[in-house]
Amino acid sequence: MNAWTIDAATSLAGKSDWTVLKPLLLQSVAQTLEMVLVTLLIGGFLGLVLGVILYGTRPGNLFENTVVYHILDVIVNIIRPIPFIIFLAAMQPLTIKVVGTSIGTAAAIFPMVVMCTFATSRLVEQNLVPVDPGVIEAARAMGASKFTIIRTVLIPEALGPLILAYAFLFISVLDMSAMAGYIGGGGLGNFAIAYGYQKFDQTVTWSAVVIMIVLVQVVQAIANALAKHVLKRQR
């Protein structure tokens, strides 16, 4: 069933026709979860690596390098403040080269991953800075390599706050996915606009809103529980 047929069906009904809208809603939820999970998996990992590099190259840290730190710091500061809808448009030429198209879910995921990487890197850096330098120095005195210190000391020490930071990141990525509809990426944002806002159907719009709120609440509750458990074990 094409978009024109769906529009006609809902218009003739005069109200939300959930026999038509329900499959579209389920498809939109699946598209949103795909975009968010893939972005968090790839962008979250790359951001963790970049965040560790940012932290490590700061003056006085594990692999201090002022030049590298300032270059990365400037790049992150340039990209992070760009509104995602503008970032989507700016990334279009590169998206076409990498993905092969600027339309669809895959075309939305690529710029989402890029933005997520830089957003994550700053969150990771900010949560690693408070780690007690004495713990790191003790590990270095015992002859631990830099990679071992990062893996067994640095990240575990900051794990609780990092879990909460990634929960916050989930909300940001979910927000980005809502804008994917502008490039045909689908998802709940596109569903709410195309079949709710544009059709003056508040039931459809609020259905999408409620689902997104539930997703955020579930993820935040899980993150809170995990962070509490980690922090309790560290005491």
Side-chain angles (χ1 to χ4, degrees):
M1 181 177 291
N2 58 36
W4 186 89
T5 306
I6 294 168
D7 292 347
T10 52
S11 298
L12 289 171
K15 60 180 181 178
S16 304
D17 184 358
W18 286 102
T19 58
V20 174
L21 292 172
K22 185 178 178 180
L24 290 170
L25 177 59
L26 294 176
Q27 182 184 42
S28 298
V29 172
Q31 289 170 338
T32 292
L33 290 175
E34 178 187 359
M35 287 186 284
V36 171
L37 294 177
V38 171
T39 299
L40 282 174
L41 183 64
I42 301 174
F45 174 75
L46 294 177
L48 177 64
V49 173
L50 182 56
V52 169
I53 294 173
L54 276 168
Y55 168 82
T57 54
R58 290 170 68 99
N61 282 353
L62 287 171
F63 27 93
E64 177 181 353
N65 190 316
T66 305
V67 174
V68 172
Y69 174 75
H70 283 300
I71 291 174
L72 292 176
D73 186 58
V74 169
I75 294 173
V76 172
N77 286 339
I78 289 173
I79 294 178
R80 280 184 66 225
I82 302 175
F84 186 66
I85 190 65
I86 297 176
F87 188 73
L88 275 174
M91 287 288 289
Q92 186 180 43
L94 183 58
T95 300
I96 292 173
K97 287 184 178 181
V98 174
V99 181
T101 180
S102 62
I103 300 172
T105 302
I109 289 174
F110 177 70
M112 285 174 66
V113 166
V114 175
M115 180 62 81
C116 178
T117 297
F118 288 100
T120 306
S121 67
R122 187 63 81 195
L123 287 173
V124 170
E125 181 197 12
Q126 290 173 346
N127 282 285
L128 293 180
V129 169
V131 173
D132 184 2
V135 178
I136 296 173
E137 286 302 319
R140 295 177 75 172
M142 294 174 64
S145 67
K146 293 174 182 179
F147 177 75
T148 300
I149 292 173
I150 291 169
R151 182 173 54 86
T152 63
V153 178
L154 185 62
I155 292 178
E157 283 292 319
L159 188 56
L162 282 174
I163 290 172
L164 295 177
Y166 272 81
F168 174 79
L169 186 68
F170 173 86
I171 299 170
S172 299
V173 173
L174 187 63
D175 182 54
M176 284 191 277
S177 75
M179 301 179 198
Y182 287 101
I183 59 171
L188 287 168
N190 180 70
F191 178 80
I193 292 170
Y195 304 107
Y197 176 76
Q198 293 179 355
K199 301 298 179 184
F200 304 98
D201 192 333
Q202 288 298 307
T203 302
V204 171
T205 302
W206 277 100
S207 296
V209 170
V210 168
I211 291 173
M212 295 183 81
I213 290 173
V214 170
L215 285 173
V216 169
Q217 293 299 319
V218 169
V219 169
Q220 189 66 61
I222 294 172
N224 288 343
L226 288 173
K228 183 179 179 181
H229 177 71
V230 169
L231 292 172
K232 186 176 180 180
R233 289 183 59 185
Q234 289 177 343
R235 289 172 185 169

